[in-house]
């Protein structure tokens, strides 16, 4: 097991040299594919000259060696008299995507989902170096334009301000993708899928504990997909498959997916969406929680192999969320993982 945890927190304004924070008692960092922003909570014995929206960077590791585990902005501060300490709340740059849009109206026509995501990220004032979006094959808005509206009243006298992240989440839901921030502070968008395993976890260091569970609740083996209505016609299709855990007369657990972004363009049809949902979810949901010696290199979206004879598991899992907890005495990483088959 590693011996001495190492933690370095720096902060600074919009420009100038970052300052190393002193008196840090602990740091907790959380990120996940379902989180709208990665967060960090820094506990200090005395509050430095730090303000909301100042940059904050957390590096952690062992024995003097560190890696970046959080890169974001201060969102708030607080103090605790009894504990004689302060906490600094932080969030990643992706938080900017959660704000209602207020700077003009933009139209997207026949563009790849990935290109739209990149444009929304950069429109929200996030540096181009802080995103990594895989190129999509899905062409969006081939029939009906996709709008980013700023809430200005339209001809009917009412206006709606769109939220950039809501548009990205809608595309994610259709394409079965995830968009979230990793430890370097960059926003990633990728399809939900397994990849080359980052590591295999069995027993002993770095494994401190493994929790495993599965449940028949949550099986989806039938998907009805409804898309755009146009010219008196509607885009609609379905796909189903059998499942041994759902015998007759039940046979199916169904889900309905509705989105006007589904236009039955050849790049992603309603049948494709229905098939993809059943392929991904036609099995009992299965989850593993890994408690590890602190690992700053483990990231959400990674694939890990878990092989443990006592639990009776030996398969690959998709890392859904990660929490890093660091004090002067210890550094622990907890990863929530799910099976994709």
């Amino acid at each position: 097991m590693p011996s001495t945890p190492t933690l370095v927190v720096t902060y600074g304004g919009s420009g100038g040299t970052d300052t190393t924070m002193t008196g840090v008692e602990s740091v907790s960092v959380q990120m996940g594919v379902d989180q709208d922003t990665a967060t960090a909570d820094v506990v200090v014995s005395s509050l430095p000259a730090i303000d909301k929206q100042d940059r904050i960077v957390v590096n952690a590791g062992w024995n003097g060696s560190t890696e970046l585990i959080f890169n974001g902005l201060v969102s708030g501060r607080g103090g605790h008299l009894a504990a004689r300490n302060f906490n600094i709340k932080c969030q990643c740059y992706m938080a900017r995507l959660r704000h209602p849009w207020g700077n003009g109206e933009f139209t997207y026509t026949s563009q790849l989902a990935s290109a739209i995501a990149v444009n929304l990220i950069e429109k929200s004032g996030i540096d181009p170096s802080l995103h990594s979006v895989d190129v999509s094959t899905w062409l969006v808005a081939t029939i009906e334009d996709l709008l980013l509206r700023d809430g200005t009243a339209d001809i009917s006298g009412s206006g709606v301000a769109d939220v950039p992240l809501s548009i990205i989440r809608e595309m994610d839901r259709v394409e079965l993708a995830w968009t979230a921030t990793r430890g370097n502070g960059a926003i990633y968008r990728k399809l939900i899928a397994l990849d080359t395993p980052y590591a295999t976890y069995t027993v002993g260091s770095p494994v401190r504990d493994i929790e495993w569970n599965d449940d028949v609740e949550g099986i989806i083996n039938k998907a009805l997909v409804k898309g755009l209505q146009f010219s008196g016609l509607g885009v609609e299709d379905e796909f189903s498959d059998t499942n041994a855990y759902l015998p007759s007369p039940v046979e199916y657990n169904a889900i309905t997916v509705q989105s006007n972004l589904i236009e039955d363009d050849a790049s992603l049809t309603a049948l494709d969406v229905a098939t993809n949902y059943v392929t991904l979810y036609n099995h009992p949901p299965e989850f593993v929680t890994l408690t590890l010696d602190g690992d700053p290199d483990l990231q959400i979206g990674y694939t890990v192999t878990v092989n443990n004879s006592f639990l009776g598991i030996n398969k690959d899992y998709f890392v859904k969320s990660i929490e890093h907890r660091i004090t002067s005495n210890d550094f622990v990483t907890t990863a929530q993982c799910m099976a994709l088959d």
Side-chain angles (χ1 to χ4, degrees):
M1 178 182 293
S3 55
T4 306
T6 304
L7 175 63
V8 179
V9 181
T10 60
Y11 64 96
S14 57
T17 303
D18 284 356
T19 301
T20 300
M21 191 175 295
T22 59
V24 178
E25 297 181 357
S26 67
V27 174
S28 176
V29 174
Q30 299 87 26
M31 61 195 70
V33 299
D34 296 325
Q35 290 183 212
D36 291 345
T37 177
T39 62
D41 189 73
V42 181
V43 178
V44 293
S45 57
S46 60
L47 191 65
I50 193 169
D51 203 357
K52 282 80 67 182
Q53 298 302 307
D54 279 355
R55 182 177 58 256
I56 193 158
V57 177
V58 180
N59 288 269
W62 295 94
N63 304 322
S65 178
T66 64
E67 297 289 344
L68 182 61
I69 64 168
F70 183 83
N71 175 21
L73 302 168
V74 175
S75 60
R77 303 161 300 174
H80 306 267
L81 178 60
R84 308 294 295 180
N85 60 24
F86 298 85
N87 69 298
I88 302 168
K89 298 192 297 180
C90 315
Q91 57 190 12
C92 70
Y93 292 90
M94 186 169 159
R96 294 176 177 175
L97 290 168
R98 301 185 301 173
H99 302 155
W101 181 250
N103 192 18
E105 180 172 298
F106 294 88
T107 301
Y108 301 99
T109 304
S110 296
Q111 294 191 41
L112 294 176
S114 52
I116 295 173
V118 167
N119 188 262
L120 290 169
I121 290 169
E122 295 184 2
K123 268 189 172 64
S124 298
I126 298 170
D127 192 278
S129 67
L130 287 177
H131 64 71
S132 177
V133 176
D134 284 359
V135 176
S136 174
T137 60
W138 175 29
L139 201 60
V140 180
T142 60
I143 295 174
E144 183 174 87
D145 291 342
L146 173 61
L147 301 178
L148 175 64
R149 299 162 294 182
D150 67 358
T152 302
D154 57 24
I155 194 170
S156 66
S158 62
V160 176
D162 291 310
V163 177
L165 185 58
S166 295
I167 296 174
I168 294 175
R169 291 290 188 228
E170 181 75 357
M171 295 190 298
D172 288 350
R173 190 169 64 91
V174 172
E175 203 172 14
L176 284 175
W178 61 271
T179 302
T181 300
R182 284 179 172 169
N184 61 1
I187 301 168
Y188 288 74
R189 185 176 191 269
K190 298 176 177 290
L191 295 180
I192 300 172
L194 295 177
D195 204 343
T196 303
Y198 162 77
T200 298
Y201 300 104
T202 54
V203 294
S205 182
V207 176
R208 300 190 183 188
D209 194 14
I210 302 174
E211 297 178 49
W212 166 82
N213 66 82
D214 66 4
D215 198 318
V216 295
E217 294 297 323
I219 294 172
I220 298 172
N221 66 335
K222 184 175 184 177
L224 173 62
V225 175
K226 299 181 179 182
L228 181 68
Q229 308 290 311
F230 61 94
S231 301
L233 301 174
V235 173
E236 185 172 316
D237 217 325
E238 65 177 71
F239 180 79
S240 62
D241 197 1
T242 60
N243 190 296
Y245 295 104
L246 300 173
S248 179
V250 178
E251 293 190 77
Y252 298 108
N253 279 345
I255 186 174
T256 298
V257 180
Q258 196 286 321
S259 174
N260 286 339
L261 296 180
I262 303 170
E263 301 176 331
D264 247 26
D265 183 85
S267 62
L268 188 69
T269 66
L271 179 59
D272 292 333
V273 176
T275 302
N276 292 342
Y277 263 85
V278 173
T279 300
L280 184 60
Y281 294 115
N282 188 18
H283 61 90
E286 180 181 346
F287 300 94
V288 162
T289 301
L290 297 170
T291 304
L292 309 168
D293 295 338
D295 184 354
D297 292 321
L298 181 60
Q299 303 290 343
I300 57 173
Y302 274 19
T303 298
V304 295
T305 302
V306 182
N307 181 358
N308 185 272
S309 58
F310 175 79
L311 297 173
I313 53 176
N314 182 14
K315 66 190 305 181
D316 291 344
Y317 293 86
F318 174 85
V319 179
K320 285 192 66 179
S321 66
I322 288 175
E323 179 180 11
H324 298 296
R325 287 172 285 120
I326 312 104
T327 67
S328 59
N329 298 318
D330 205 4
F331 176 14
V332 180
T333 297
T334 304
Q336 302 284 346
C337 313
M338 69 176 183
L340 298 186
D341 57 22

